[in-house]
Amino acid sequence: PIFKQKVIEYKWLHHLSLNQTAAKFSIPNTGTISTWEKLYSSYGFSGLVSKKRGRPSRGQEGKIAKNILNRNFKAEKPNEKWATDVTEFALYNE
């Protein structure tokens, strides 16, 4: 991301065209710089960070608790049984 930022800022500082900037930094496709500019203008530095690719790893699995309720959620008195469900989901750029 730092290289991308330097390319964009150099282009702006020296008022270069996409072709001139691509030639200066040996970038074969001028569309690449254009995309970086749009992302940088919209999202700042975080827009230049590449998204993770591929399948996410399962990672370390959490501890599974014993099934002591056996799907019997009816309680005889208040606060006798408590249950929860935790679902994990990814947020943008995390």
Side-chain angles (χ1 to χ4, degrees), residues 65-78:
K66 293 181 181 177
N67 185 9
I68 58 174
L69 291 179
N70 201 21
R71 299 199 52 82
N72 179 10
F73 299 106
K74 184 171 170 94
E76 301 298 323
K77 56 186 178 181

Side-chain angles (χ1 to χ4, degrees), residues 15-89:
H15 306 288
L16 299 177
S17 69
L18 289 172
N19 288 334
Q20 292 170 323
T21 307
K24 169 76 177 163
F25 291 96
S26 301
I27 299 172
N29 187 352
T30 57
T32 302
I33 301 170
S34 180
T35 302
W36 292 349
E37 269 188 296
K38 290 175 189 173
L39 291 170
Y40 189 64
S41 295
S42 298
Y43 303 108
F45 182 75
S46 63
L48 299 177
V49 177
S50 298
K51 295 178 183 175
K52 293 182 180 178
R53 298 180 186 194
R55 279 184 89 174
S57 63
R58 290 195 60 162
Q60 188 178 26
E61 292 198 24
K63 182 180 177 185
I64 298 175
K66 293 181 181 177
N67 185 9
I68 58 174
L69 291 179
N70 201 21
R71 299 199 52 82
N72 179 10
F73 299 106
K74 184 171 170 94
E76 301 298 323
K77 56 186 178 181
N79 292 326
E80 183 179 37
K81 297 180 181 179
W82 286 63
T84 187
D85 179 27
V86 179
T87 304
E88 182 179 337
F89 54 93

